Structure formats: C-alpha cells, structure tokens
Amino acid sequence: MSTIFRILIAALILLPTAVFAAADDWRVVKATDQVKYTVDRTNWQDLRPGEVVPNRAWVSTGPRGRVQLARGVESITFQPNTLAAICTNESAAMKTQIYQQVGSLDLEIEKRSQPHTTVQTPYFAAVVKGTIFHVTADRTKASVAVDRGLVQVTSFASGQRSNVAPGQSATVDKKAGMTVAGRLSKPEITSVAPSVAQIPAVGTTKLAGATAEAKSSSSATSKTTNANDDDSSSNGKSNGNSSSNGNSGNGTSGGNGNSGGNGNNGNGNGHSDDSGNSGNGNGNSGNGNGNGNSGKGDNNGGGNGNGGGHGKGKDK
C-alpha cells in the first residue's frame, strides 16, 4: 500500500507540470484538406485534427484550406491561402509572436494583466490586449478589424500608431501609410519612430522600414553626388563655344579673350573650359594662328586658355 501511495503522490506532483506544458501547445481543433506545416520551410507535412503544432512551425492553407488552432481558451483560425507561424517563448516579455506573411487570421486571445501576444505582418505589428479580432495581409498592405477588446497597431515604415477598439479598423499600405475607420468614431493616429518589419511581404525579400531607410540614404547620397557634379561642371564649363568671324582681322574666340589675326574671314574656334578663358582657340584668321591669346593684348588665361584662368584679352 505504501508503494502505491508513493506512486500516486508522485503522479499528483507531476500532473500540474504536464498539464501546464500541454496548455502551452497549440493543438488542431478542426482542419480541412490543403493544410500543411513545416519547420524548415522546405519539407511540408499534413496537419490533422488532434495534432500539436510544433513551436515556430509555419502553417499554410490552400485555396480550400482552413484550420482552427486552440490553446486553452485562445484560438486562431487560418482562412484559405494563409501562411503564418506561431512562436512561443515563455521567458520573453511578449510570450507569443504570430508571424503572418499573407492571408487572413481570426484570433481570440485571452486578456491578461500584461499584453502577451503580438501579430507581426509585413507592414505593421499588432499588440493584442485581450480581444477578438481579424488580421489580413497581402503583397501591398495589411489590415486589422476589432470585434472585442483593444489592439495597438504600429506601422513600421510610416512611423504611425493607433489603438483600435471594437467596431474600428486600421489599414497600413506600403505607399500610403496608415488609415483608420470606425462605425461610430475613428481611432486616433499618433506618430512614433519608424521601425523595420521582421518578415517581408510575399514576392519580395525587402522589409518594410528598411526599404524606406535605404531610399532615404540613397536620395541623400544622390543629392550629394549631384551637388559635387554641379560644382565640378561649373568649374569646367565653357562660357563661349562660339566661333568668331574675323572680318577686320579680329576673330574672337569663345570666352572673353580675343584671338588676333591679320586676315579676313578668320574663324577663332576658342573652346573655353572655364570662365574667361579662350581655351585652345585655333583662330585661323588669315595668316595668324591664335592660341587663345589676343593679337596684341595680354591674356592671362592660364597657358593656352585651358580652364583655370579668369583673365580677359583685349585688343589694343
């Protein structure tokens, strides 16, 4: 008798631990065909009623697939064409993280003294404060509608936040940011620091928020480069690519210098690389060859009139 008594006592001691462990598992309550799961995103297995969904496993439903998972009083229903994972970490402040990449989820989460569940979509994070709500995500946006309780929605890229109450909804578009709606009133939107999503939308590897930061950085770099190019260009632009007609033997090359010549119909083709320089002006006017220097004037245009000089040549 004493041995049996000891065994019963040991069983009673261990029973709460076993029940507690089972209570943390998400079990399949209902499932149709076209419901599978994977722990490595490569090998997929069928998911059937009564089975336990492995922690951090991804669950996928096909066009006609539906599955309802339960954990104690909480439940999550996957609608058709949905892909999501449930990760539980009892040591973390937010014990349950649901990563919903695409599709629709209907959730009923137990209200506790501290929020313990978050739904991560490609465009926002929804902190659940005990509620019944619905989350939908696709390639370009994600939305949440609340039936009971409160959900705090934070948009990653646009840095917006809203507390969504029963009868209200919030949508985050990758281009337009957050918009809200409500049957009686709209929830307020406040500004917060932008952040980066933890999962990408279907069809891309880019994370919301990270894309905006990259664009911002690229834009700033582009502006700096263009400014430098403008400075460089302004230092090397010609102020006169005109040809001069030396009808009195005075062929004027581009720029402010005059290439002198003694012949008629002389053409001074001075190409200036900077302000006031008659750069490489080959003014073949009659018998004279002007190299960017005026006939009798003094052109301090930097050698042969190649950029860097600001002097003017004057005929005397």
Side-chain angles (χ1 to χ4, degrees):
M1 288 293 293
S2 61
T3 302
I4 296 176
F5 181 75
R6 291 191 185 96
I7 293 174
L8 289 174
I9 293 297
L12 290 172
I13 292 173
L14 295 174
L15 182 60
T17 303
V19 171
F20 179 75
D24 283 343
D25 293 331
W26 288 94
R27 292 183 175 273
V28 180
V29 178
K30 300 177 182 179
T32 65
D33 292 336
Q34 298 185 346
V35 178
K36 296 180 180 295
Y37 77 93
T38 180
V39 293
D40 58 9
R41 299 295 291 265
T42 301
N43 301 302
W44 294 84
Q45 302 179 50
D46 291 331
L47 198 57
R48 299 180 177 87
E51 293 183 342
V52 172
V53 179
N55 191 25
R56 301 181 182 277
W58 286 87
V59 177
S60 174
T61 57
R64 296 185 302 277
R66 284 183 176 84
V67 60
Q68 181 183 4
L69 309 180
R71 181 180 65 179
V73 298
E74 300 178 321
S75 69
I76 301 175
T77 300
F78 288 61
Q79 297 297 336
N81 297 317
T82 296
L83 176 64
I86 305 175
C87 304
T88 302
N89 184 357
E90 285 297 325
S91 62
M94 198 61 64
K95 300 184 184 303
T96 302
Q97 296 270 4
I98 301 168
Y99 298 92
Q100 180 180 352
Q101 192 167 33
V102 69
S104 298
L105 295 178
D106 301 326
L107 305 97
E108 183 172 358
I109 304 299
E110 181 184 12
K111 183 177 181 180
R112 299 181 186 176
S113 57
Q114 295 293 329
H116 60 95
T117 300
T118 298
V119 180
Q120 300 277 351
T121 75
Y123 300 109
F124 66 69
V127 177
V128 184
K129 300 181 178 181
T131 186
I132 297 176
F133 65 109
H134 316 276
V135 180
T136 301
D138 60 29
R139 292 174 181 267
T140 61
K141 63 183 180 301
S143 61
V144 58
V146 178
D147 292 341
R148 187 181 70 196
L150 194 67
V151 176
Q152 184 184 81
V153 180
T154 303
S155 170
F156 297 120
S158 62
Q160 296 169 292
R161 176 173 292 169
S162 183
N163 289 316
V164 184
Q168 297 178 336
S169 63
T171 299
V172 177
D173 184 273
K174 72 175 185 179
K175 293 182 179 180
M178 180 182 291
T179 56
V180 293
R183 288 196 297 264
L184 299 177
S185 62
K186 294 182 180 180
E188 181 182 358
I189 297 177
T190 59
S191 297
V192 296
S195 55
V196 180
Q198 297 188 29
I199 56 173
V202 169
T204 182
T205 58
K206 296 180 180 179
L207 298 174
T211 303
E213 289 178 2
K215 287 182 178 180
S216 176
S217 175
S218 174
S219 176
T221 302
S222 176
K223 288 180 180 179
T224 302
T225 302
N226 290 338
N228 291 336
D229 288 346
D230 288 343
D231 288 343
S232 175
S233 176
S234 67
N235 288 331
K237 285 182 179 178
S238 166
N239 287 330
N241 291 325
S242 61
S243 61
S244 62
N245 297 319
N247 287 329
S248 294
N250 293 321
T252 58
S253 65
N256 294 320
N258 297 320
S259 60
N262 294 319
N264 293 322
N265 298 322
N267 293 320
N269 297 319
H271 183 86
S272 162
D273 288 331
D274 205 348
S275 300
N277 299 321
S278 52
N280 298 324
N282 296 317
N284 297 320
S285 51
N287 297 322
N289 294 320
N291 291 320
N293 298 316
S294 61
K296 296 180 180 180
D298 295 324
N299 186 340
N300 298 319
N304 291 322
N306 294 320
H310 297 281
K312 297 181 180 180
K314 298 180 180 179
D315 286 335
K316 295 180 180 179

